[in-house]
């Protein structure tokens, strides 16, 4: 306990108390002040000693455990882990993990940020934008109307009236389909997961855009699939490389985000869309089209979906309601080619039987009341304003040598630092400047150091966008100056622009 | 179109109009009245012709398609499939599929039943039992309190206050655990799925009870795992066979339902529970304990969970709220040993990122208000009444040679027909008697013909239980009489009683 009395936590620092504590205990372990298999103080005792909440201790111990500094035994406590394997390389990996964990949490708006932090890392809309009052009304209407039925199992394919209305709703997007092709899902991530379950066997190959959405990669990896990356160009996936890969590796699936891609913000041109569909048809490959932001098409007439052009039924379309409505609903849908209907349905059943009946019925009523049109128009207005401020600020402030391609819509911007400068290294510098972003390396199957970074405007107000980009640009300029030497590790899979 | 004019549908029959239509068109195809690649009439035209709703045609065409009698082309219609591969064996398989589909739907209360049908197949509680009004109140309170926050992403591990309260709630069940060990899930099925994702690699071996829950088998199969079945005896899993299998096949997991097992209703004795834990610890194997009905412990003091006795952290505990509260919530939780916390969390993230924030927050408030105690007491009262009537009726009416072991709680009863009599065959006889049950064969990894059947009281009122068991018993007696010859296929994996 004596060793722990020396720990001082500073409430005036920007750093969380629990990460301060984590670092203090980590130092005790690394400096061998406490030894392998020594017991850490009980949570309450240490909390009393340091005059903090129990939860601070719990969080610090958890973090120590995640990083393998300590281990736990139920009923007896927390103990220092033996240090044999902890070499310098592991330490570096651990630092990476730490940053990645922060980023993952920030991406979902799940981390408490410091008061002045401007969060370009979060891809989750600001909660004030959610149509809470409208949804409360439909929830209550549904409960009065359907009573216990709203809490039974819904059929696995989804609530029939909702699927029926979605078919209508899709007409506006130029997509003609039928009720039996609609599969309700508990969010887009589940959509990717059940498609992978239905169609991928261990050892199968999947093509992904490079860079691409991290959640899709995690799912394909979990299925034991091999991933091939095809560069994302400014007008879409590189078709030449794609065709070569198809001929050589016979992939089962292509995972694509043709409009306002995550993380780049780039969109496929009409020409690329047509050519991709033609290629997929010719080679007999299924395309997963992940559509999470097509609605935010500020500066283009070409934001049509692949699905609307899919004459050969080669596209499985995933629609997320998380970004344009509310992520907490955990609701979305698939359009499934008839031939795959049954496999997808079975995969849905083994995943979670069915999506919440109450949520499906309420969202059905929400759609049927037509409120969604108003809401999408509102979201468009809000985001277009942010988008414009963002483009203006980037053009005004970004230091020379720093590049971006202006997207035509959506919420993501893909910024390239000068060649050889690591965005991850910038990240660890910049956190002190109260700016968060996502280093580009995480968007590749094998995490690499990259000179790219993703900025999202989903959770930042216009005024803060301007301040934030100004601050970020200054930090980048400082970073260029300070780091005259180029970083050693170079990006292996840098997107070709 | 001429061929279709001859179809007659009879509204006075018990059979659904759409299955009548399905059968009529199937006959046209089998008798070659319509040929391969012939186009079926458009939905509206046929609906007009037969004077039925469009949906009847849609359902019939879908069923024909599922069974491969027809195929669809988007934009052009539905066509007769070529018949090359349709031999007698496939036809039999198809019949099996048909019955299984019915059963799956009935099990979830997802099929419209004929008016007088008594449904012993459904394991889903009657919707009138759901605490709808109480839940409506907490939903509204949460929306007023948390506003947009109720619709954001919840942290993947689950809403912190809910996890905190669950730790308290578990004390009543003699389970000591901590907030960081609780993982919120979107229902027990997802629990099984994410455990499989986290812990099973392609080719790994899993031990299941024989018979066991169909949803668990589907998940293990989907992960590419091999399943070994260990017979379920009246006092629990056969430990002798289990140990032999462990030594020979080195399984990763044992999937068990120690209290009121599905489908048998049997419970492990305290002796078996202790021995299983000891064995798992000695061999270093993880046990998945699926607890969906422990609360309904009418006639036993021994319905403790394995988890409450798990001193070595070998048990992952799954708690479903579907049967005791409401399935439509899609909510449950895991208790995860600390060492597996991270893998499970990642598997949850790749599955659906997080469980609905609104539902978690509302259920948290529901628990904190203490309403759940009242509700569990109420469910106990209701189900004990049904249970007693069921036992009484079975003892009074079941014909000689038909056996069952009286469970000590829960909602399932496992009935054994006389040796050599197929419960699936009984099923196809009995549907005309307006009784539904689940033939036992589906509860085995390789579906077998079995002389067992599962009866569930979850969705049947006491009066109907009596009438239903009387009717079923008469039908069984008739079946014994009619089928003097024994069935040829014998159950390969019949439980040893």
């Amino acid at each position: 306990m004596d060793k722990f009395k020396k720990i001082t936590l500073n409430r005036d620092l920007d750093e969380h108390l629990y990460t301060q504590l984590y670092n203090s205990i980590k130092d005790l372990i690394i400096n061998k002040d406490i030894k392998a298999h020594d017991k850490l103080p009980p949570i309450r005792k240490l909390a009393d000693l340091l005059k903090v909440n129990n939860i601070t201790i719990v969080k610090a111990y958890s973090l120590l455990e995640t990083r393998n500094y300590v281990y736990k035994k139920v009923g007896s406590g927390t103990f220092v882990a033996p240090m044999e394997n902890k070499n310098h390389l592991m330490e570096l990996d651990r630092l990476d993990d730490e940053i990645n964990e922060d980023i993952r949490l920030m991406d979902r708006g799940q981390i408490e940020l410091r008061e002045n932090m401007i969060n370009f890392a979060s891809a989750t809309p600001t909660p004030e934008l959610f149509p809470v009052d409208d949804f409360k009304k439909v929830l209550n209407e549904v409960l009065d109307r359907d009573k216990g039925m709203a809490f039974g199992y819904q059929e696995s394919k989804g609530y029939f009236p909702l699927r029926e209305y979605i078919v209508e709703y899709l007409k506006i997007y130029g997509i003609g389909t039928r009720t039996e092709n609609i599969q309700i899902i508990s969010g887009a991530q589940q959509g990717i997961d059940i498609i992978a379950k239905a169609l991928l066997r261990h050892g199968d190959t999947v093509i992904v855009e490079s860079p691409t959405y991290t959640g899709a990669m995690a799912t394909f990896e979990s299925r034991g699939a091999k991933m091939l990356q095809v560069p994302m160009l400014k007008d879409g996936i590189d078709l030449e490389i794609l065709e070569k890969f198809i001929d050589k590796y016979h992939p089962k699936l292509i995972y694509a985000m043709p409009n306002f891609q995550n993380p780049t913000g780039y969109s496929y041109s009409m020409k690329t869309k047509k050519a991709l569909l033609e290629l997929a048809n010719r080679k007999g490959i299924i395309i997963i089209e992940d559509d999470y932001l097509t609605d935010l098409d500020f500066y283009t007439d070409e934001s049509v979906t692949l699905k609307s052009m899919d004459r050969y039924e080669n596209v499985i379309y995933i629609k997320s309601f998380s970004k344009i409505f509310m992520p907490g609903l955990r609701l979305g849908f698939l359009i499934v080619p008839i031939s795959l209907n049954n496999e997808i349905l079975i995969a849905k059943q083994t995943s979670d039987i069915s999506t919440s009946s109450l949520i499906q019925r309420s969202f059905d009523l929400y759609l049927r009341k037509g409120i969604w049109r108003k809401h999408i128009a509102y979201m468009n207005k809000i985001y277009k304003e942010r988008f414009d401020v963002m483009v203006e600020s980037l053009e005004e402030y970004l230091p020379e040598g720093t590049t971006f391609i202006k997207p035509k819509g959506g919420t993501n911007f893909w910024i390239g630092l000068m060649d050889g400068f690591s965005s991850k290294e910038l990240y660890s510098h910049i956190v002190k400047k109260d700016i968060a972003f996502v280093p580009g390396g995480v968007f590749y199957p094998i995490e690499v150091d990259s000179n790219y970074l993703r900025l999202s405007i989903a959770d930042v107000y216009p005024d803060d966008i301007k301040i934030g980009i100004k601050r970020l640009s200054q930090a980048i300029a400082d970073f260029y100056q300070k780091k005259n030497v180029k970083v050693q590790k170079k990006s292996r899979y840098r997107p070709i622009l």
Side-chain angles (χ1 to χ4, degrees), chain A:
Chain A
M1 202 73 179
D2 277 359
K3 308 268 164 53
F4 291 86
K5 278 184 192 153
K6 292 176 206 158
I7 294 175
T8 51
L9 304 179
N10 187 343
R11 282 166 206 277
D12 298 329
L13 288 181
D14 282 339
E15 202 187 346
H16 285 299
L17 288 179
Y18 81 91
T19 55
Q20 291 184 40
L21 179 58
Y22 159 74
N23 283 313
S24 303
I25 300 177
K26 194 179 76 175
D27 289 345
L28 288 178
I29 294 169
I30 288 171
N31 301 330
K32 310 243 162 135
D33 289 331
I34 45 178
K35 296 192 179 57
H37 309 298
D38 277 2
K39 192 178 168 184
L40 298 192
I43 287 165
R44 280 186 192 182
K45 277 200 177 170
L46 190 55
D48 287 348
L49 180 71
L50 302 177
K51 302 200 169 42
V52 295
N53 283 333
N54 286 355
I55 189 67
T56 304
I57 315 292
V58 169
K59 279 187 173 173
Y61 281 14
S62 280
L63 203 53
L64 285 165
E65 194 194 12
T66 314
R67 314 255 186 273
N68 294 321
Y69 288 107
V70 303
Y71 63 93
K72 285 176 184 166
K73 271 202 236 168
V74 172
S76 28
T78 305
F79 300 85
V80 177
M83 292 282 287
E84 299 88 87
N85 307 316
K86 298 193 172 62
N87 56 29
H88 178 66
L89 207 70
M90 278 185 67
E91 192 52 36
L92 279 182
D93 280 355
R94 207 168 293 129
L95 187 72
D96 271 15
D97 282 355
E98 223 160 301
I99 292 178
N100 287 347
E101 192 176 294
D102 284 357
I103 289 165
R104 201 169 56 214
L105 292 170
M106 282 191 291
D107 183 64
R108 311 273 177 227
Q110 283 171 1
I111 214 169
E112 283 171 57
L113 296 173
R114 287 193 299 279
E115 213 173 320
N116 295 317
M117 179 165 271
I118 295 176
N119 185 3
F120 291 113
S122 173
T124 305
T126 332
E128 298 95 272
L129 300 178
F130 300 155
V132 179
D133 290 339
D134 287 336
F135 210 77
K136 189 176 161 189
K137 269 181 219 146
V138 295
L139 268 172
N140 279 296
E141 274 191 53
V142 164
L143 286 173
D144 291 340
R145 184 191 70 192
D146 298 347
K147 306 212 167 54
M149 294 301 290
F151 292 109
Y153 281 111
Q154 204 58 61
E155 48 178 331
S156 299
K157 211 169 172 61
Y159 183 53
F160 190 83
L162 174 60
R163 291 191 285 126
E164 215 174 40
Y165 192 85
I166 284 171
V167 170
E168 289 306 306
Y169 155 97
L170 283 168
K171 286 181 186 160
I172 296 165
Y173 297 84
I175 299 176
T177 186
R178 286 162 312 168
T179 317
E180 62 261 45
N181 295 61
I182 305 296
Q183 169 70 55
I184 300 296
I185 50 179
S186 310
Q189 181 66 36
Q190 183 181 69
I192 299 168
D193 191 53
I194 69 175
I195 294 168
K197 260 190 203 145
L199 304 183
L200 292 179
R201 299 289 153 264
H202 186 82
D204 281 349
T205 299
V206 179
I207 288 183
V208 297
E209 297 158 342
S210 175
T212 190
Y213 168 54
T214 52
M217 292 188 288
T219 296
F220 297 141
E221 204 179 288
S222 162
R223 271 314 276 181
K226 291 174 206 138
M227 269 175 281
L228 291 173
Q229 319 166 65
V230 175
M232 184 72 189
L233 310 180
K234 67 178 178 181
D235 62 349
I237 196 163
D238 185 326
L239 290 166
E240 215 170 297
I241 297 182
L242 177 61
E243 180 153 4
K244 274 185 201 147
F245 278 8
I246 291 175
D247 290 339
K248 193 159 174 194
Y249 301 103
H250 310 289
K252 279 270 183 74
L253 293 172
I254 301 169
Y255 172 76
M257 282 171 281
N259 294 314
F260 321 128
Q261 198 245 11
N262 183 14
T264 62
Y266 305 165
S267 298
Y268 290 30
S269 66
M270 281 303 279
K271 200 176 139 198
T272 307
K273 285 177 186 170
K274 278 179 196 155
L276 174 61
L277 284 170
E278 188 277 324
L279 182 64
N281 184 48
R282 187 151 45 84
K283 306 284 183 183
I285 298 176
I286 297 287
I287 302 169
I288 307 178
E289 177 180 32
D290 188 352
D291 176 6
Y292 85 125
L293 278 178
T294 293
D295 297 283
L296 302 182
D297 54 343
F298 312 131
Y299 294 104
T300 175
D301 302 325
E302 293 193 340
S303 73
V304 296
T305 59
L306 288 180
K307 188 68 207 175
S308 67
M309 305 160 66
D310 174 32
R311 279 198 267 164
Y312 310 105
E313 290 245 286
N314 285 317
V315 176
I316 307 179
Y317 174 87
I318 307 178
K319 181 73 179 181
S320 166
F321 291 139
S322 294
K323 309 299 179 198
I324 199 74
F325 294 107
M326 303 185 282
L329 294 177
R330 308 313 304 127
L331 190 67
F333 66 87
L334 303 179
I335 310 176
V336 184
I338 279 287
S339 55
L340 303 174
N341 243 326
N342 209 37
E343 283 94 330
I344 294 284
L345 182 62
I346 290 169
K348 169 69 181 170
Q349 282 167 342
T350 64
S351 295
D352 68 351
I353 301 178
S354 63
T355 296
S356 161
S357 176
L358 175 65
I359 298 286
Q360 290 192 65
R361 285 162 191 257
S362 303
F363 198 70
D364 170 60
L365 190 57
Y366 178 82
L367 289 178
R368 281 173 192 273
K369 289 189 169 216
I371 317 177
W372 63 274
R373 290 172 209 264
K374 186 188 79 181
H375 181 70
I376 287 184
Y378 172 69
M379 292 296 267
N380 250 283
K381 187 176 150 283
I382 296 285
Y383 275 113
K384 184 163 178 305
E385 190 192 348
R386 296 185 186 185
F387 186 92
D388 290 343
V389 173
M390 183 68 168
V391 171
E392 212 172 87
S393 308
L394 289 171
E395 282 171 350
E396 187 171 345
Y397 298 118
L398 273 191
E400 213 172 320
T402 315
T403 57
F404 80 104
I405 293 172
K406 186 183 158 183
K408 290 166 181 152
T411 58
N412 291 323
F413 293 78
W414 190 236
I415 313 295
L417 299 181
M418 275 166 63
D419 208 25
F421 285 88
S422 152
S423 61
K424 189 163 254 182
E425 217 180 320
L426 174 66
Y427 180 86
S428 41
H429 280 69
I430 214 159
V431 169
K432 291 161 203 156
K433 301 265 179 205
D434 290 326
I435 302 280
F437 61 79
V438 183
V442 302
F443 299 105
Y444 299 87
I446 298 157
E447 203 191 320
V448 291
D449 209 354
S450 160
N451 62 327
Y452 279 83
L453 50 115
R454 189 191 76 179
L455 300 179
S456 161
I457 53 168
D459 198 14
V460 196
Y461 298 107
D463 288 352
D464 287 342
I465 290 174
K466 200 169 175 182
I467 299 167
I469 295 303
K470 204 170 165 183
R471 223 187 266 169
L472 173 69
S473 300
Q474 187 53 52
I476 293 174
D478 292 351
F479 181 57
Y480 288 163
Q481 285 256 304
K482 221 184 284 177
K483 288 286 291 187
N484 253 327
V485 271
K486 298 199 170 179
V487 290
Q488 290 170 337
K489 258 202 293 181
K490 273 196 66 172
S491 170
R492 274 207 288 155
Y493 303 104
R494 200 146 28 86
I496 298 154
L497 297 180

